Every structure is written in C-alpha cells, then in structure tokens.
Amino acid sequence: IWAYHADATGQSDSDAGYRTELLTRCQQVLGRWPELRVENFSSSWADGVAFAHLLAHFCPTGIDLTKMN
C-alpha cells in the first residue's frame, strides 16, 4: 500500500511522510464507521476488518459487512 501511494503521489519510497498521509486518508475514509479504530498499519489491520471496510467504501456491493465479526 505504501509503495502504491508513494508512486501515485510522486513521493519517494524513502519519504516517511507519505505513511502518515496514507494513514490519515484511511482514517478519514473509515471514519464513517465510528466503531472502527485505525491507529497504525500493523495491529489496526491485523484482523482484516479495516481492510474489508476500506474495500466496502470503494465497492459497496462487493462486501457484506453484516457478516463481519
């Protein structure tokens, strides 16, 4: 994800600031689900729930979030 974001925004892969930007953008997108807390790129994504919600944001008919634990 970081490499894609860096490439899409024209930033260097060594620029650590893009990770903060990407996390902020994910938090904005996922903010419509207040029960979902995304604080980092490790434990916040480990169970797949945040990723499923991110996919649901961009493809609402692709994932049935009611079946998530």
Side-chain angles (χ1 to χ4, degrees), residues 13-38:
D13 204 23
S14 63
D15 182 5
Y18 73 90
R19 291 181 184 185
T20 302
E21 282 183 37
L22 181 57
L23 182 60
T24 299
R25 180 65 182 134
C26 289
Q27 290 168 332
Q28 291 169 345
V29 167
L30 298 173
R32 63 189 266 203
W33 293 283
E35 71 280 4
L36 190 61
R37 295 194 55 150
V38 175

Side-chain angles (χ1 to χ4, degrees), residues 33-64:
W33 293 283
E35 71 280 4
L36 190 61
R37 295 194 55 150
V38 175
E39 299 173 347
N40 56 53
F41 282 117
S42 56
S43 60
S44 295
W45 298 85
D47 62 3
V49 174
F51 186 67
H53 281 75
L54 189 63
L55 290 175
H57 172 78
F58 291 104
C59 185
T61 60
I63 295 182
D64 184 357

